[in-house]
Amino acid sequence: MEKYQKYGINPLLISIATDQVLINVSPRPTVAMLPGKYSKIVYKHIKAVNSEFPENIFRLTCEACGRSGDYDLGTLVIPTDNLEHHNEIEKIQALGYFRCKHCNAAGKWELSARVKAILVAKVAAAVLSNAIETGMSQGVVFGKALINKEFSPRWGNEAEDYFLEKLAQNPNNAYLWNRLGNTYCRGKRPELAVCAHEQAVIKDMEQIESHFSLGKILIECGELEKASEHLRQAVAFSYKYKQLPAYDLREIVVEALEILLSIYNQSDNQIDMLPRPSEWENNHFVKNQIAATAIHDFEVDFNCRETLYPLAEVYLGERRNELPPEARSIQTQVRKKAWPVVSKVNKQKPPKKNKKRKKR
Ligand SMILES: [Zn+2]
């Protein structure tokens, strides 16, 4: 097996991402064949990046070639209804993305009686430990994984197929590339995730969810400079991003700022925390933002996430108006102290004489 070929890669991914006819792509591609600059870096740190996901290694038989191998199924999603029926095992969803080690096929897998028995035992253990209430236990989640509320993939590669099919028709759709990137990320294939997210930001440099995901993966690989570049862009373009509700958008910006602050500290203040003017495409907005930042005089506390909310809301621009008033942090700041000029004018406006007259 060649270097960079330990885990299978779908030739169709490379065909769509590089705009090549499928027949010209190797049937067993390596990481080195993926377009973009991050896949090889991330591949070297794959264990560190995946540490947040559970490991569920099972022996499966590929129906295409009839050979068996051990595969990491990743997070297992188990339906909550009819748990006592053993045939429900067929309905377990595996979010891990893997392909046959022998023939690179993906999709048709045979579960031996022994594997089924282990899965049943795993489900029973999760039930006993009250995983249904707590949501997760022993690498098992109860519920149903759905894509776009319509498709429930059994294996990670079915989720990949869903997006690749759409991308084949619409290869410039940055949002689809972003969703494919998330699928690979959950599938414990961060080297494929960064490939898809890089495509997303090439197609649309304002795809902030992909910038954010690239930043989060790259920081796990110790790539502070590159991570901060993407996180700053996630912050800079957030005010234009329409794919998320304002509340979720703010959470992303806050988390990006939190990581940026830690990079700034780790780099001895060498790596910028806030977007540079060159990273904005709209200069008018930059001036407004700089003015707004100056007015608010933020006190950012490294240990307190809450202190980043007002700053995040400045970057949200007009989208912060979509937050319910009680959830906005900037407004409370404004009332308290941000615009002393306004309160002065209000106090001074009624001349003293008038006041006296009114009283009498
Ligand atoms: Zn096979």
Side-chain angles (χ1 to χ4, degrees):
M1 196 179 288
E2 245 185 271
K3 196 186 173 194
Y4 295 131
Q5 210 176 27
K6 193 174 172 196
Y7 311 101
I9 296 172
N10 192 341
L12 187 58
L13 167 67
I14 295 181
S15 153
I16 298 172
T18 59
D19 197 18
Q20 285 182 74
V21 189
L22 186 58
I23 202 142
N24 291 339
V25 180
S26 157
R28 298 207 59 185
T30 70
V31 175
M33 293 173 192
L34 292 167
K37 49 190 171 174
Y38 298 139
S39 293
K40 280 204 262 181
I41 301 172
V42 173
Y43 183 75
K44 286 177 194 150
H45 297 89
I46 195 162
K47 286 223 165 86
V49 182
N50 278 337
S51 58
E52 63 171 299
F53 297 107
E55 194 171 75
N56 276 310
I57 295 176
F58 287 93
R59 178 150 284 245
L60 304 178
T61 306
C62 168
E63 286 186 8
C65 72
R67 293 162 84 180
S68 304
D70 291 332
Y71 298 98
D72 185 359
L73 273 57
T75 307
L76 297 174
V77 185
I78 292 169
T80 39
D81 46 341
N82 296 325
L83 277 173
E84 62 277 14
H85 295 304
H86 283 193
N87 57 0
E88 287 299 303
I89 291 301
E90 299 291 334
K91 287 190 188 161
I92 289 181
Q93 297 173 277
L95 302 189
Y97 178 81
F98 51 92
R99 308 180 71 85
C100 176
K101 291 172 185 180
H102 310 285
C103 73
N104 202 31
K108 300 257 187 264
W109 300 100
E110 207 177 280
L111 279 68
S112 68
R114 187 170 169 272
V115 166
K116 283 184 185 169
I118 298 171
L119 278 171
V120 170
K122 207 171 176 64
V123 174
V127 172
L128 278 177
S129 64
N130 282 329
I132 293 182
E133 275 89 55
T134 56
M136 187 160 178
S137 155
Q138 312 182 29
V140 168
V141 179
F142 286 95
K144 197 172 190 184
L146 274 178
I147 297 176
N148 289 345
K149 296 177 189 167
E150 60 173 33
F151 178 60
S152 141
R154 179 155 183 223
W155 308 103
N157 65 281
E158 290 181 9
E160 180 202 43
D161 287 343
Y162 178 90
F163 290 114
L164 284 184
E165 220 168 87
K166 289 191 171 0
L167 279 165
Q169 305 301 318
N170 201 353
N172 290 324
N173 187 318
Y175 186 63
L176 287 174
W177 281 112
N178 168 261
R179 302 285 307 278
L180 178 64
N182 296 344
T183 299
Y184 286 136
C185 189
R186 278 189 296 271
K188 300 182 73 175
R189 298 296 300 276
E191 82 283 25
L192 301 182
V194 290
C195 173
H197 286 309
E198 273 190 274
Q199 288 302 313
V201 299
I202 290 169
K203 311 295 183 201
D204 174 10
M205 68 182 290
E206 295 169 4
Q207 209 333 307
I208 72 149
E209 287 185 84
S210 280
H211 279 302
F212 178 68
S213 299
L214 284 169
K216 277 188 77 169
I217 294 173
L218 289 168
I219 193 143
E220 294 293 333
C221 306
E223 296 286 337
L224 301 190
E225 189 83 52
K226 292 188 176 85
S228 73
E229 211 174 283
H230 287 289
L231 292 167
R232 284 198 302 268
Q233 292 188 71
V235 172
F237 296 122
S238 59
Y239 75 105
K240 298 174 98 182
Y241 195 68
K242 301 275 184 263
Q243 307 282 6
L244 282 176
Y247 191 88
D248 298 339
L249 190 61
R250 184 179 62 175
E251 288 305 303
I252 284 197
V253 176
V254 166
E255 200 178 332
L257 288 170
E258 210 171 16
I259 305 170
L260 281 165
L261 185 56
S262 104
I263 296 176
Y264 178 72
N265 289 334
Q266 279 179 63
S267 70
D268 281 331
N269 310 351
Q270 291 302 301
I271 300 178
D272 290 348
M273 177 184 165
L274 300 179
R276 301 164 186 162
S278 61
E279 285 167 339
W280 300 68
E281 95 316 352
N282 185 337
N283 279 323
H284 172 71
F285 189 70
V286 177
K287 280 179 198 155
N288 286 345
Q289 292 305 80
I290 292 169
T293 324
I295 286 168
H296 292 295
D297 188 19
F298 298 102
E299 283 173 34
V300 173
D301 177 359
F302 182 58
N303 295 313
C304 181
R305 185 182 164 99
E306 302 299 311
T307 61
L308 290 168
Y309 278 81
L311 184 56
E313 287 176 22
V314 167
Y315 283 103
L316 285 196
E318 302 210 327
R319 290 224 55 198
R320 70 171 166 263
N321 300 330
E322 294 164 36
L323 295 163
E326 67 277 9
R328 269 178 245 162
S329 49
I330 272 191
Q331 227 183 27
T332 40
Q333 272 227 339
V334 170
R335 260 190 242 127
K336 272 183 196 161
K337 58 176 182 180
W339 286 329
V341 184
V342 175
S343 53
K344 248 186 214 166
V345 170
N346 287 345
K347 270 178 197 164
Q348 287 176 349
K349 244 189 178 173
K352 281 178 185 173
K353 284 176 190 172
N354 288 350
K355 262 191 185 173
K356 279 175 188 170
R357 257 181 233 158
K358 265 187 186 171
K359 274 183 185 172
R360 279 170 195 172

